[in-house]
Amino acid sequence: MRSGRRKLFIFLLVFLFTGICTLSSCQVTEQAGSYTRYSMEKEMNANDESEGLLNLEEEELMLPEPDFESDFSLEKTLEKRRSVRNFSGHDLELDKISQLLWAAQGITQKDTGYRTTPSAGALYPLEVFLVKSDGAYHYQPEEHKLVKLLSGDLRDKLAKGSLYQDFIAIAPVTIVITAVYERTSSKYGDRGIRYVHMEAGHCCQNILLQAVAMNLGAVPVGAFDDDYIQNLLDLPSGYSVLYVIPVGYPE
């Protein structure tokens, strides 16, 4: 009798232990599955956020090949660089626009995709836009082209969003530098935010020096309403506006 009870007790322990292990295993599997789904969804959302502009394509404008040689030395451009806010209003030729955008984010090594601007981890979080009299464009470095996003002259509204700095409305083109922080912070965490800001500074200086080398004037503008300009250019929520840079012929 006592032996039968002992066997029953052992059976119940084994049954209870097996049930607990099975339940724990299911919970772990479910949690792992949930984590995997969360990670995949997060990655997909990040990709959708950074690539959202592709859905806005209207017209494509292939840019002329940039020049890689000039009679204007680097030392001379550094000496001559000044902030210019008085523009003549004359249109900017396409070859000059091409050169400016190449200086900002152009590809300098096709097999690696390296660009004119140094980038932490070669992650390239910056997205560059161009606003001129006939609309707003997105620069795509891989093919060195502009994709038209919006039609119409947005320069007055861009000036309004930049605290009514009217020279922005007069400049023939304005380059807007934005950043998708997730591209860098996904690898470097909060430190990546600093890296993005450093990269934006590098990019801006490239534009300013290239402008001087072509006898153009430019000025970096940081006083603007972030949300206003983001809405004006119809940018996805993950794009943060960092710089507004009007460029043109000095008056």
Side-chain angles (χ1 to χ4, degrees):
M1 186 74 176
R2 185 176 300 173
S3 176
R5 289 179 179 177
R6 184 180 294 111
K7 290 181 180 179
L8 178 62
F9 179 71
I10 293 173
F11 172 78
L12 289 174
L13 282 177
V14 170
F15 176 79
L16 182 61
F17 179 76
T18 303
I20 292 173
C21 290
T22 302
L23 180 60
S24 299
S25 176
C26 291
Q27 288 176 336
V28 170
T29 303
E30 183 178 355
Q31 289 173 354
S34 299
Y35 178 78
T36 301
R37 287 194 299 274
Y38 170 76
S39 300
M40 290 175 64
E41 288 172 1
K42 183 177 180 182
E43 183 177 352
M44 288 173 63
N45 289 337
N47 289 337
D48 289 344
E49 186 175 74
S50 63
E51 301 298 339
L53 287 166
L54 295 178
N55 299 325
L56 303 176
E57 288 188 5
E58 251 183 43
E59 303 172 14
E60 293 185 358
L61 179 61
M62 300 305 297
L63 295 169
E65 284 297 310
D67 291 327
F68 302 120
E69 294 183 5
S70 169
D71 295 331
F72 218 105
S73 71
L74 174 60
E75 292 78 12
K76 182 62 70 174
T77 59
L78 290 170
E79 180 193 9
K80 294 292 184 181
R81 193 218 58 78
R82 293 292 181 273
S83 293
V84 174
R85 295 178 177 83
N86 296 317
F87 301 103
S88 67
H90 293 311
D91 287 340
L92 212 57
E93 296 85 353
L94 191 59
D95 63 331
K96 288 184 168 53
I97 291 174
S98 170
Q99 197 72 29
L100 288 166
L101 293 173
W102 174 81
Q105 283 284 282
I107 302 292
T108 55
Q109 190 173 330
K110 290 187 178 180
D111 59 336
T112 61
Y114 291 161
R115 303 184 185 182
T116 53
T117 298
S119 178
L123 296 171
Y124 302 113
L126 303 186
E127 294 290 340
V128 175
F129 298 86
L130 183 82
V131 177
K132 59 191 191 80
S133 61
D134 66 341
Y137 296 79
H138 177 216
Y139 176 56
Q140 296 190 354
E142 293 79 7
E143 299 178 72
H144 192 54
K145 69 180 181 181
L146 287 170
V147 174
K148 192 171 187 178
L149 303 180
L150 300 167
S151 295
D153 193 344
L154 303 176
R155 293 177 298 169
D156 283 336
K157 292 181 179 179
L158 188 59
K160 176 183 177 182
S162 302
L163 309 187
Y164 295 93
Q165 299 184 72
D166 293 337
F167 54 85
I168 294 174
I170 298 172
V173 304
T174 293
I175 297 173
V176 179
I177 300 175
T178 73
V180 181
Y181 286 103
E182 175 67 20
R183 293 180 191 170
T184 304
S185 62
S186 62
K187 179 175 182 178
Y188 296 108
D190 291 342
R191 189 75 174 185
I193 297 173
R194 177 182 299 193
Y195 295 157
V196 171
H197 292 164
M198 292 166 66
E199 186 170 339
H202 304 325
C203 179
C204 177
Q205 182 74 338
N206 281 5
I207 294 169
L208 300 178
L209 294 179
Q210 183 66 78
V212 172
M214 296 188 295
N215 294 309
L216 300 174
V219 57
V221 174
F224 50 78
D225 185 324
D226 299 35
D227 293 336
Y228 180 97
I229 294 178
Q230 186 176 45
N231 292 331
L232 177 65
L233 299 181
D234 198 19
L235 302 179
S237 60
Y239 285 59
S240 299
V241 182
L242 299 182
Y243 269 115
V244 171
I245 310 170
V247 187
Y249 289 101
E251 190 175 44

